[in-house]
Amino acid sequence: MQAAADGEGITLELWSGFTSTDGDIMSDIFNKFNEENEWGITIEMDIMSWDTIDEKLPAAIAAGEAPDFVTCPPARYKNYGEAGVFRDLSEFWELYPDIAENVPDNIKNLFTWNDTVIGVPIQVQSYYYYWDKDLFEAAGLDPETPPQSFEEIVEYAKLLTDPSKNQYGFVLPTNNMVPATMTLLAYGADFTNEDETQATFNDENMFEAFTALNDIWQTGSTPQDVDDNTYISGQCGQFINSSWVINGLRENGINFGVTTVPAAEGKEQDAYYSMCGFAIPTTTTDEAIIDAIYKVLAHWNSVEVSQRWYLEAGSPCYNLAAIEALPEEEKGLIEVLAAPNEYGHVELKKTGQSLVQSDVLFPAMEEIFLGGADVQETLDKYNAVLQEMIDSRGY
C-alpha cells in the first residue's frame, strides 16, 4: 500500500527478506531511526521469506498495492529487471555524493540491470578461504602461511584428512553453490561468457576445476554430511564460506586464519558476491515518499550503520569511510574481507542463479562425485541444459 504524507510526517512500508538474527538487527536499526530522525519518517517493516516476497510482489505491483520500497538481491533481478517494475535509482548517488564517493564503483555497478540502477546497497558479502591453524601445525604445515594457489588447497586437503578422527581437509557439499563456484572461478571458469549469451560449463577451465574438486571427493577429503555446524566444529582443516562464520569460529575457540580464495596457477583472482539492496517499485510515485526513502537509504549507508551492520551482523563494510573509522584491532580483518570489493561480481544475474544451481551445478556434482560419471561427458550434458536456459530467455 502506498504510504501517505500527513501533518505527523511520513510512514514508509518496507518488505524485507532478512528473517534471521540479521532481521532483528535491521529492525533495531530502523526503530532507532524512527525515534531519532528529524523528518518525522516512520518505517514499518514487514519481514517475510525471499520466496514469499517473490510470490507477492509482482501481484502487488500489478494491483498498485506494492510497498514503498523492498529489499532485493541482484541475484533476483532477472524477473524484475525484465518486467521493468523497479525505479531507476541513479539520482540517489547524485543526491548523496559523499556516500557515492565512498562506495567502490564496482559495488555500485553490481546493483544495475542493463545500465538501470535498481538497488542501493544494504550489504555485500563475498566468500573467503579459512584454515584451522592448529590442524595445519599438526599436519606439519606452516600455520601462519595459507596456500598460495588452489592446487595447494587440493594437496593440503589430503594432508589434513584423518577419518579416524572424523577430521577432513576441505568441505565440499553437493547442495551448496559456494565452495564449488569459488573453485570454478579460481580456475578461470564460469558458467557463461560475460554477457551470459553462451554457456561455458564444459570448457577447459571448467574441466580443470571439476577435476580438482573430484580429486577432493575421491580421496575422501570432505565430509559427505555438511551443515552449518560443520564449519565451526574444529574438525575441518580448510573451507570456503562467508564472513558470517567468523563469530561462530571465535565463540568455539577455533584458532583460524582467513584470506581471499587464491587463484589456481596462472589464473586471475576472482570472487562472486551474495548481495542485497533496497529497491523502489515503479508504483511508488509520490516525490515526498521517494525523498523520504532516499533519506533512509542514506542513513543505512552512513558510517555509523555500516560499522554496526559489520560488527553485529558480520557483513563486511563496503563504505570506505566506515572502514577507515573502524578500531585498529579490526583493520587487518576488514582489509581481507573488503578486498573482493574491487573485483567481485554477481553470478548469473541475467540467467538466474537458482535454476542453474538446481538444474545444472548440483546434479553435475552428484553424478561426478557420487556416481563416478565421466567429468567431460557430464559437463557437456549440463552445458546443453544451461544453453537451453539461456536461449529460452528470448533476448
Side-chain angles (χ1 to χ4, degrees):
M1 180 176 64
Q2 181 74 37
D6 57 34
E8 298 296 321
I10 295 177
T11 299
L12 303 174
E13 183 182 6
L14 167 66
W15 285 5
S16 170
F18 289 82
T19 57
S20 188
T21 54
D22 50 11
D24 295 334
I25 298 166
M26 178 177 281
S27 293
D28 193 54
I29 289 171
F30 283 146
N31 287 339
K32 183 179 179 183
F33 174 83
N34 289 345
E35 294 170 1
E36 297 179 356
N37 80 86
E38 62 184 288
W39 307 287
I41 298 171
T42 299
I43 303 162
E44 293 184 348
M45 187 165 65
D46 191 354
I47 299 175
M48 62 193 80
S49 71
W50 295 112
D51 288 342
T52 299
I53 290 177
D54 287 340
E55 179 183 346
K56 293 177 60 175
L57 186 58
I61 292 174
E65 298 176 349
D68 301 297
F69 64 132
V70 299
T71 61
C72 185
R76 299 176 109 87
Y77 280 2
K78 178 179 181 289
N79 292 337
Y80 298 115
E82 289 175 11
V85 295
F86 284 145
R87 294 180 60 90
D88 187 336
L89 305 184
S90 55
E91 65 177 350
F92 172 80
W93 300 115
E94 298 167 4
L95 292 170
Y96 294 91
D98 290 346
I99 295 175
E101 68 183 16
N102 278 297
V103 177
D105 288 341
N106 182 54
I107 296 297
K108 293 196 288 281
N109 291 339
L110 296 179
F111 286 91
T112 64
W113 175 272
N114 291 345
D115 298 325
T116 297
V117 178
I118 284 183
V120 170
I122 296 172
Q123 68 178 23
V124 300
Q125 291 183 314
S126 190
Y127 302 93
Y128 309 91
Y129 167 83
Y130 293 83
W131 75 100
D132 187 309
K133 293 183 178 183
D134 293 341
L135 295 184
F136 260 52
E137 187 169 18
L141 300 169
D142 183 351
E144 300 304 323
T145 305
Q148 302 303 297
S149 69
F150 210 94
E151 287 87 349
E152 287 190 351
I153 289 178
V154 176
E155 292 307 308
Y156 287 9
K158 302 168 190 175
L159 296 173
L160 291 161
T161 295
D162 186 345
S164 69
K165 298 179 180 178
N166 198 29
Q167 176 182 309
Y168 296 93
F170 196 70
V171 182
L172 181 59
T174 57
N175 61 351
N176 186 305
M177 186 176 185
V178 173
T181 301
M182 290 298 290
T183 303
L184 309 184
L185 297 178
Y187 280 85
D190 212 339
F191 296 95
T192 70
N193 61 354
E194 188 173 353
D195 63 4
E196 297 189 34
T197 58
Q198 187 67 43
T200 56
F201 195 66
N202 63 345
D203 69 7
E204 180 179 351
N205 292 335
M206 190 69 73
F207 177 81
E208 290 182 12
F210 262 87
T211 299
L213 292 174
N214 196 37
D215 189 10
I216 290 173
W217 257 91
Q218 302 314 321
T219 55
S221 301
T222 176
Q224 294 198 14
D225 296 320
V226 177
D227 59 26
D228 286 350
N229 291 323
T230 303
Y231 299 96
I232 58 175
S233 66
Q235 294 174 308
C236 298
Q238 309 172 104
F239 62 85
I240 296 173
N241 212 314
S242 191
S243 56
W244 70 267
V245 78
I246 289 174
N247 285 338
L249 291 169
R250 287 171 170 168
E251 290 169 2
N252 279 25
I254 307 299
N255 183 19
F256 72 96
V258 56
T259 188
T260 52
V261 178
E265 295 176 4
K267 308 297 184 181
E268 293 186 6
Q269 196 170 34
D270 198 358
Y272 92 89
Y273 267 113
S274 173
M275 314 174 73
C276 190
F278 294 108
I280 303 178
T282 51
T283 47
T284 300
T285 57
D286 187 301
E287 290 300 324
I289 299 296
I290 295 169
D291 178 68
I293 295 172
Y294 284 166
K295 286 181 169 63
V296 174
L297 274 50
H299 175 72
W300 184 271
N301 282 278
S302 66
V303 168
E304 175 189 359
V305 173
S306 296
Q307 290 183 343
R308 181 176 177 185
W309 193 245
Y310 165 55
L311 295 172
E312 296 184 21
S315 182
C317 299
Y318 51 86
N319 183 314
L320 300 178
I323 293 173
E324 182 61 29
L326 281 168
E328 283 302 317
E329 60 267 24
E330 291 287 341
K331 290 293 179 65
L333 177 59
I334 195 61
E335 286 175 2
V336 170
L337 300 181
N341 288 351
E342 299 298 331
Y343 58 81
H345 67 279
V346 175
E347 279 289 292
L348 302 165
K349 192 191 294 186
K350 294 183 178 180
T351 304
Q353 190 180 103
S354 59
L355 277 178
V356 175
Q357 289 178 184
S358 62
D359 294 0
V360 176
L361 179 62
F362 295 165
M365 292 167 68
E366 290 177 359
E367 290 179 23
I368 293 170
F369 304 158
L370 300 175
D374 181 83
V375 173
Q376 190 62 59
E377 289 180 3
T378 307
L379 296 181
D380 289 341
K381 171 183 173 180
Y382 285 101
N383 191 72
V385 174
L386 178 53
Q387 189 62 51
E388 185 175 347
M389 286 184 192
I390 294 169
D391 293 341
S392 69
R393 294 183 328 211
Y395 59 89

